[in-house]
Amino acid sequence: MTISANQIDERMRRFEQACRSARIKLTHQRIEIFREVAKTTDHPDAETVFQRVRERIPTVSLDTVYRTLWLLSDLGLITPLGPLRERTRFDANLARHHHFVCVRCGLTADFYSDLLDDLTLPEAVQALGQAETTRVEVHGICRACAERGPQPTHHPKTKQSQRNS
Amino acid sequence: MTISANQIDERMRRFEQACRSARIKLTHQRIEIFREVAKTTDHPDAETVFQRVRERIPTVSLDTVYRTLWLLSDLGLITPLGPLRERTRFDANLARHHHFVCVRCGLTADFYSDLLDDLTLPEAVQALGQAETTRVEVHGICRACAERGPQPTHHPKTKQSQRNS
DNA sequence: CTATTTGCAAATAATTTGCAGTGCG
DNA sequence: CGCACTGCAAATTATTTGCAAATAG
């Protein structure tokens, strides 16, 4: 919660602009849902946004929150973190390594780099807590998906495909 | 799937050793479940491990796979990736930044670093795919949790606590 | 006015748990 | 041979969807 009022206003303006460009309706709930995410630095999940928006719009429903969050992320106004519709995966590679994750199919490949193993973190991190492990996550399109040609990075819908093996 | 037989054997030995030290029973299903993860580089999820183990032990149940995977991760033999029992979070910070994630409470804080914004990736990454974004993920214990004193990093159990705000 | 969007309730999907029988050490 | 471990089925939790009513432009 360290966002200045100006910063929030700027984000709100960008949001309204983006909705108009996309010819998407500026509803009360969309405005408040976006404001709730734009307001904080704490990366709330859908349930948390729901609880907070509810204080101002007691009738919002959780599914509207979900729909709106994914819409906002399609518009490029917010970024989903973590469980990108993925299940937990398990890694038996105990050696120090980093990951390349395909944003389209979920393929997660290890790669190694002495350089990246030994990064210097800014002092700001010290203030946050005691760092234990540092890993570089590279997101992109894997070879196989690139060959399959351009495809929409569809979100919701059905089960996440498993492009491993 | 580029693990040498030797490498797998070594992992299996380490696994058996760890189970004995922890005085945990070396059951048929545990052995095969661990082997399945140790065998590949593709970071399978629980369902995938289940399907593969099933071919050799047709009676294993999915819940045993889940239980075993978390057990193995408690023993430090495998590492869970991605959705660490977390829900998807949303981030309205469109500026380039990195994350500090508390492994205990899930707090996810942004931090900035020009140095980290401009990392040089090894050539190996080129072979994997087209990199789009690169982010550094620092995992550790946040200030608040550190003050709360040492606590077991319990996994299963109840709902993930939300140490944000 | 009219196509979008919402809220509701019910459907899916992923994961966890209680319990009685089974097998490792 | 006893207690840890398993399989089953049922419970939970997170998220998505179909549909009729509400509403922004």
Side-chain angles (χ1 to χ4, degrees), chain A residues 25-26 62-63 66-67 70 85 157:
Chain A
K25 292 186 180 175
L26 264 172
L62 181 57
D63 51 286
Y66 273 105
R67 277 188 287 228
W70 288 114
R85 301 171 176 287
K157 290 290 183 241

Side-chain angles (χ1 to χ4, degrees), chain B residues 22-70:
Chain B
R23 214 126 332 171
I24 275 183
K25 292 185 180 175
L26 263 172
T27 65
H28 188 193
Q29 21 283 80
R30 277 179 185 161
I31 293 169
E32 294 309 316
I33 289 167
F34 177 73
R35 190 199 308 284
E36 213 44 66
V37 181
K39 215 158 108 174
T40 63
T41 60
D42 64 2
H43 318 294
D45 59 29
E47 182 69 32
T48 303
V49 171
F50 173 57
Q51 296 298 346
R52 293 181 187 167
V53 168
R54 214 180 198 181
E55 288 167 21
R56 276 170 289 146
I57 312 179
T59 55
V60 272
S61 62
L62 182 56
D63 51 286
T64 295
V65 173
Y66 273 106
R67 278 188 287 228
T68 303
L69 289 172
W70 288 114

Side-chain angles (χ1 to χ4, degrees), chain B residues 64-84:
Chain B
T64 295
V65 173
Y66 273 106
R67 278 188 287 228
T68 303
L69 289 172
W70 288 114
L71 173 72
L72 292 171
S73 109
D74 282 342
L75 292 175
L77 292 164
I78 62 177
T79 309
L81 300 183
L84 260 124

Side-chain angles (χ1 to χ4, degrees), chain A residues 79-97:
Chain A
T79 310
L81 300 184
L84 259 126
R85 301 171 176 287
E86 275 274 342
R87 314 192 186 95
T88 304
R89 287 155 174 264
F90 296 86
D91 188 351
N93 184 357
L94 299 178
R96 202 114 169 44
H97 64 279

